[in-house]
């Protein structure tokens, strides 16, 4: 099935494959919240993430009040005017392809209920249910139905987006019977007792966004939806969207595989005042090696001085992280996923944190012949597990098996093996975790722009949302004494 990376065995060993019964999710939104910008940010991302749960969610039933949509909420596909229900139906269709169905609720039974906004009229529905709401920087979620009654006038998407990720995660877990009770507010502003500012008029420093896949595009989606935010981004990625990105890449719809990731990223910003500059290639090698790159003079001059002030790293390979580290950017904010954990970290040569080199070492990679020998020493079962881990289709498995039988004859098997070796393992990944990593990453970047990086990392330079536990954790990271880049010492 296309875009089903969440159906592989998850790294915690808790789930594998489709659940016995595919979920029918009832999304129930109330007035006035559904008419607000915040409410629509939440609904848009929630339906978006549910529609990507191929093989887990079958149907999304919508019960939403009839109201006009706000501009700047529906970015991919772009919908600028019309009614909310129609927009959500179109969104669900555009994302879900043939695999998930989004339709108007008609009283047919649901297996899980997500209430968006006010919870006063929530009744005991006899199936797992959760109330989600978002306001400014805070996501409020409750399985007992006790969230605050938001009538939000905030245009800030941060809290609503995180609430949408948690709601989509609840539906996913409930399909496997693994949902947990939760009554929490998660404030991404992170300062006790403060709601956090509106984003209008805030200018962020020019930043390189490296890697525009699942996490990078969620970061972009959040920034593009933050009306009033100003600044410039240099977006870099060498790749095209593939079928397997469909379950989690927010810049792409069902029909977009084959489009370049930089093109899809740029499309998010059509109505935005933020300046987007793109480069299709790898950073730093291709980028710095191309003197003709189209970058505004101001950015070019600081590049010539060897200064990369801000890097948003959403690359997913260690060798790309090392490539970034060698350029000694002043500030790196990185986002990634591991199973059901959405992770972010701040890295710098200065300050109380790690540098990118402290944890990410270039992996030792076997040559193709050594790898062939190693595979030949495995049992047939172990070898098939290796193929599955590396995303090989049956045809490719067969060609590699042929090559392993007779390594002296270089057929397509040798080339296939070389390609799988380069691509590495295909990991378990699901949309709401990637989106949450992009959202936390975006929130931290904007917060750092407002309060400065030192204050941003006061409580710890790492922040992650753990979807199995439904917990937001901030931790301190120590420099590593044997780091080849900073040597374990801060430079200021
Ligand atoms: Zn280091």
């Amino acid at each position: 099935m296309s875009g089903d990376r969440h159906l592989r065995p998850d790294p915690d060993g808790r789930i594998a494959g489709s659940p016995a019964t595919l979920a029918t999710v009832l999304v129930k939104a109330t007035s006035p919240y559904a008419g607000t910008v915040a409410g629509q940010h939440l609904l848009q991302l929630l339906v978006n993430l549910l529609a990507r749960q191929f093989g887990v969610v079958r149907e999304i039933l919508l019960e939403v009040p009839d109201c006009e949509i706000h501009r700047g909420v529906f970015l991919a596909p772009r919908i600028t005017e019309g009614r909310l229900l129609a927009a959500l139906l179109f969104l669900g269709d555009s994302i879900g392809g043939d695999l998930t169905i989004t339709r108007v609720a008609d009283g047919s039974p649901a297996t899980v209920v997500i209430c968006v906004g006010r919870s006063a009229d929530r009744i005991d529905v006899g199936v797992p249910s959760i109330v989600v709401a978002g306001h400014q920087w805070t996501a409020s979620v409750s399985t007992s139905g006790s969230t605050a009654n938001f009538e939000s006038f905030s245009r800030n998407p941060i809290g609503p987006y995180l609430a949408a990720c948690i709601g989509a995660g609840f539906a996913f877990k409930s399909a496997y019977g693994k949902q947990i009770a939760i009554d929490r507010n998660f404030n991404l502003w992170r300062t006790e007792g403060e709601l956090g500012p509106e984003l209008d008029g805030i200018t962020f420093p020019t930043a390189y966004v490296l890697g525009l896949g699942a996490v990078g595009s969620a970061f972009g989606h959040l920034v593009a939806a933050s009306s009033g935010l100003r600044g410039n981004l240099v977006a870099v990625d060498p790749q095209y969207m593939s079928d397997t990105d469909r379950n989690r890449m927010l810049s792409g719809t069902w029909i977009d595989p084959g489009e370049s990731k930089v093109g899809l990223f740029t499309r998010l910003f059509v109505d935005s005042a933020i300046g987007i500059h793109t480069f299709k290639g790898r950073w730093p090698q291709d980028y710095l090696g191309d003197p003709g790159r189209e970058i505004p003079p101001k950015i070019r001059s600081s590049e010539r001085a060897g200064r990369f002030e801000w890097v948003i790293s959403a690359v997913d390979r260690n060798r790309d992280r090392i490539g970034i580290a060698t350029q000694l950017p002043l500030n790196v904010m990185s986002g990634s996923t591991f199973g059901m954990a959405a992770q972010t970290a701040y890295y710098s040569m200065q300050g109380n944190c790690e540098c990118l080199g402290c944890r990410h070492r270039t992996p030792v990679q076997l040559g193709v012949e050594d790898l062939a020998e190693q595979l030949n020493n495995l049992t047939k079962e172990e070898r098939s597990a290796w193929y599955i881990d590396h995303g090989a289709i049956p045809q490719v498995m067969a060609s590699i098996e042929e090559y392993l039988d007779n390594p002296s004859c270089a057929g397509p098997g040798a080339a296939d093996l070389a390609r799988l070796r380069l691509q590495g393992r295909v990991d378990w990944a699901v949309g709401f975790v990637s989106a949450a990593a992009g959202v936390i990453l975006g929130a931290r970047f904007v917060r750092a722009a407002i309060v400065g990086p030192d204050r941003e990392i006061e409580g710890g330079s790492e922040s992650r949302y753990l979807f199995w536990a439904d917990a937001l954790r901030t931790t301190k990271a120590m420099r590593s004494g044997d780091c080849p880049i900073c040597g374990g010492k801060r430079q200021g």
Side-chain angles (χ1 to χ4, degrees):
M1 188 191 295
S2 184
D4 60 355
R5 294 240 319 239
H6 51 266
L7 299 184
R8 307 175 78 86
D10 89 294
D12 298 301
R14 300 198 55 179
I15 49 173
S18 282
T21 308
L22 298 190
T24 299
V25 189
L26 173 61
V27 174
K28 230 176 131 173
T30 50
S31 286
Y33 188 62
T36 65
V37 177
Q40 294 187 5
H41 277 317
L42 199 167
L43 280 164
Q44 181 281 128
L45 189 58
L46 178 63
V47 171
N48 197 325
L49 293 171
L50 290 171
R52 292 179 196 272
Q53 292 183 24
F54 313 131
V56 176
V57 169
R58 179 63 187 148
E59 287 194 303
I60 302 158
L61 309 178
L62 298 176
E63 190 181 315
V64 302
D66 192 31
C67 51
E68 290 289 317
I69 62 163
H70 295 276
R71 280 183 84 89
V73 170
F74 293 86
L75 306 182
R78 180 164 303 273
I79 311 170
T80 54
E81 55 184 15
R83 312 298 282 178
L84 179 61
L85 181 61
L88 291 170
L89 289 169
F90 182 69
L91 171 72
D93 278 352
S94 308
I95 301 294
D98 307 329
L99 297 178
T100 49
I101 297 161
T102 307
R103 62 186 181 90
V104 179
D106 59 356
S108 35
T111 59
V112 54
V113 178
I114 304 177
C115 297
V116 176
R118 183 159 52 99
S119 59
D121 57 354
R122 181 173 160 271
I123 45 160
D124 187 6
V125 286
V127 295
S129 64
I130 190 167
V131 184
V132 294
H135 178 59
Q136 297 183 332
W137 294 66
T138 297
S140 183
V141 298
S142 166
T143 48
S144 71
S146 61
T147 65
N149 180 5
F150 289 134
E151 286 185 38
S152 182
F153 295 102
S154 169
R155 300 178 65 82
N156 185 340
I158 292 173
Y161 273 21
L162 182 63
C165 294
I166 298 171
F170 181 84
F172 182 86
K173 287 183 285 185
S174 77
Y176 295 91
K178 295 197 183 291
Q179 76 283 1
I180 58 171
I182 173 174
D183 284 284
R184 288 285 301 277
N185 291 323
F186 298 104
N187 183 354
L188 290 178
W189 183 249
R190 298 206 291 176
T191 307
E192 195 66 39
E194 286 183 23
L195 283 177
E198 285 299 304
L199 306 181
D200 289 272
I202 287 165
T203 301
F204 57 79
T206 297
Y208 297 82
V209 186
L210 309 180
L212 309 176
V215 176
S217 72
F219 170 87
H221 204 290
L222 177 79
V223 172
S226 300
S227 65
L229 201 56
R230 296 285 181 277
N232 284 281
L233 297 175
V234 182
V236 183
D237 198 301
Q239 292 181 329
Y240 295 88
M241 181 181 176
S242 75
D243 290 355
T244 66
D245 293 320
R246 277 182 176 142
N247 78 337
R248 66 199 189 291
M249 196 174 127
L250 292 184
S251 58
T253 66
W254 181 263
I255 58 167
D256 288 324
E259 299 286 330
S260 74
K261 291 184 180 176
V262 286
L264 294 172
F265 187 87
T266 308
R267 204 168 66 175
L268 297 171
F269 290 85
V270 168
D271 288 332
S272 161
I274 288 162
I276 299 293
H277 318 283
T278 59
F279 182 81
K280 192 172 164 305
R282 288 177 67 199
W283 198 96
Q285 55 276 62
D286 300 341
Y287 181 84
L288 295 177
D290 180 357
R293 61 186 185 270
E294 285 171 27
I295 299 300
K298 207 178 147 208
I299 301 177
R300 284 300 284 266
S301 60
S302 66
E303 285 177 357
R304 267 194 290 271
R307 299 317 272 163
F308 299 102
E309 203 191 331
W310 270 96
V311 165
I312 302 297
S313 163
V315 296
D316 54 10
R317 292 187 207 296
N318 264 358
R319 62 164 191 273
D320 291 330
R321 294 193 180 100
I322 296 294
I324 296 167
T326 57
Q327 297 303 313
L328 307 180
L330 284 176
N331 309 277
V332 179
M333 198 77 95
S334 113
S336 62
T337 66
F338 183 74
M340 287 279 264
Q343 327 186 109
T344 65
Y346 171 81
Y347 300 104
S348 176
M349 297 297 286
Q350 304 168 353
N352 212 3
C353 60
E354 293 176 308
C355 90
L356 250 188
C358 284
R359 190 165 316 175
H360 303 106
R361 306 293 161 86
T362 314
V364 180
Q365 210 172 42
L366 291 175
V368 176
E369 283 164 20
D370 296 331
L371 180 57
E373 195 184 315
Q374 204 178 65
L375 286 174
N376 254 333
N377 290 334
L378 298 178
T379 65
K380 210 170 162 46
E381 288 70 38
E382 289 168 335
R383 230 164 33 232
S384 28
W386 189 91
Y387 289 133
I388 291 168
D389 264 2
H390 287 73
I393 57 172
Q395 197 188 343
V396 169
M397 283 184 208
S399 78
I400 295 177
E401 284 291 305
E402 207 170 298
Y403 168 67
L404 293 180
D405 276 346
N406 186 3
S408 60
C409 133
D416 282 337
L417 186 57
R419 188 171 47 79
L420 292 193
R421 164 185 160 271
L422 262 184
Q423 286 172 351
R425 284 168 50 97
V426 177
D427 293 322
W428 187 93
V430 67
F432 55 86
V433 180
S434 307
V439 169
I440 299 168
L441 183 61
R444 294 191 61 191
F445 175 57
V446 173
R447 187 162 180 265
I450 298 170
V451 301
D454 285 347
R455 255 197 74 195
E456 211 292 315
I457 63 166
E458 242 166 28
S461 59
E462 300 180 327
S463 186
R464 46 174 72 84
Y465 190 87
L466 309 171
F467 277 90
W468 283 130
D470 274 317
L472 186 64
R473 297 260 159 77
T474 298
T475 46
K476 295 195 160 108
M478 304 295 291
R479 287 180 194 278
S480 162
D482 64 347
C483 171
I485 308 240
C486 74
K489 295 192 181 69
R490 53 187 285 182
Q491 325 245 308

